[in-house]
């Protein structure tokens, strides 16, 4: 049976609409590095593509990945993701990958140059924040960050706790007000 090309579904599973003017569709987050947001003050974020082997992609889709010890290093004009743990694919054979191998990040030349110059400043580093899929392609969100001192971490936790307590108080007051109105 002949089906006109206009009515055939597009291949690649694309279909996610761009949000807030972003290029591409929705993000399916695989792993996040919450420790990085606690230990570092984020200065600037970048989205980078990842060069992966087939078994790494399959393992990522299973969602058992850890970024807690990961860091990014600029070497020879290229960005590399180190210590990101992508476990071996359980159905893989001799073609399986090494779990903690370094992986190349795909960035524009200007972005690499900017990251390299800023990372050489004292106290600055480049950390991975998240791994996710966008339109079927594996991406990494990396950040230029500055390490926090211990008192900065305590201050951040205190602010977070204060915000949470105020939200709870507001919610309790609204519940009480609704109960009195009924």
């Amino acid at each position: 049976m002949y089906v006109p090309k206009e009515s055939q579904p597009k291949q690649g599973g694309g279909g996610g609409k761009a949000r807030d003017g972003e290029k591409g569709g929705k993000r399916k987050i695989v792993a996040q590095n919450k420790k990085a947001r606690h230990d570092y003050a984020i200065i600037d974020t970048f989205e980078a593509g990842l060069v992966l082997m087939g078994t790494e992609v399959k393992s990522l889709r299973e969602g058992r990945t850890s970024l807690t010890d990961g860091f990014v290093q600029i070497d020879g004009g290229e960005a590399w993701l180190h210590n990101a743990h992508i476990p071996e694919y359980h159905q893989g054979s001799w073609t399986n990958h090494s779990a903690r191998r370094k992986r190349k990040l795909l960035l524009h030349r200007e972005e690499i140059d900017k990251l390299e110059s800023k990372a050489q400043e004292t106290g600055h580093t480049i950390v991975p924040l998240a791994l996710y899929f966008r339109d079927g392609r594996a991406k990494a969100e990396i950040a230029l960050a500055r390490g926090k001192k211990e008192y900065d971490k305590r201050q951040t936790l205190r602010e977070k706790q204060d915000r949470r307590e105020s939200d709870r108080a507001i919610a309790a007051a609204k519940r009480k007000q609704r109960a009195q109105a009924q």
Side-chain angles (χ1 to χ4, degrees):
M1 175 172 127
Y2 173 75
V3 179
K5 191 165 186 106
E6 300 84 43
S7 63
Q8 290 179 356
K10 292 182 179 178
Q11 291 185 349
K17 290 186 175 181
R19 48 175 201 187
D20 299 332
E22 288 182 8
K23 180 181 171 188
K26 294 179 94 175
R27 292 178 5 163
K28 181 185 174 223
I29 295 180
V30 177
Q32 285 187 326
N33 191 355
K34 293 180 182 178
K35 186 178 179 185
R37 293 195 186 273
H38 178 262
D39 292 342
Y40 299 98
I42 306 301
I43 298 170
D44 199 5
T45 60
F46 299 88
E47 180 182 63
L50 280 165
V51 176
L52 299 173
M53 296 172 63
T55 54
E56 287 176 316
V57 175
K58 291 180 179 187
S59 186
L60 271 178
R61 290 195 189 278
E62 289 179 349
R64 305 172 332 189
T65 304
S66 173
L67 293 173
T68 52
D69 297 331
F71 64 95
V72 177
Q73 192 172 32
I74 308 293
D75 185 29
E78 295 178 337
W80 295 90
L81 176 63
H82 293 268
N83 281 352
H85 185 264
I86 300 176
E88 290 185 353
Y89 184 57
H90 68 278
Q91 292 181 345
S93 60
W94 57 271
T95 59
N96 237 336
H97 62 279
S98 172
R100 289 209 183 260
R101 75 177 189 92
K102 68 179 190 175
R103 294 162 180 93
K104 187 175 180 180
L105 294 173
L106 304 173
L107 291 161
H108 291 285
R109 171 62 43 209
E110 304 87 49
E111 293 173 332
I112 292 174
D113 293 341
K114 179 179 179 182
L115 282 170
E116 187 173 24
S117 66
K118 292 284 187 177
Q120 289 174 352
E121 294 178 14
T122 306
H124 289 82
T125 187
I126 309 167
V127 292
L129 297 178
L131 286 178
Y132 55 90
F133 285 99
R134 174 172 283 159
D135 295 332
R137 301 200 189 280
K139 303 283 184 180
E141 182 180 17
I142 61 173
L144 179 65
R146 186 182 66 250
K148 286 184 182 177
K149 303 284 187 213
E150 195 63 36
Y151 57 85
D152 289 335
K153 294 179 192 177
R154 284 194 300 268
Q155 180 66 26
T156 304
L157 286 174
R158 196 174 302 118
E159 288 171 1
K160 187 176 178 181
Q161 188 175 11
D162 291 343
R163 207 173 321 119
R164 193 176 296 149
E165 287 176 5
S166 66
D167 289 345
R168 283 183 186 150
I170 291 170
K174 285 183 180 180
R175 276 195 305 274
K176 187 176 179 182
Q177 188 178 20
R178 270 189 258 131
Q180 288 177 354
Q182 291 179 353

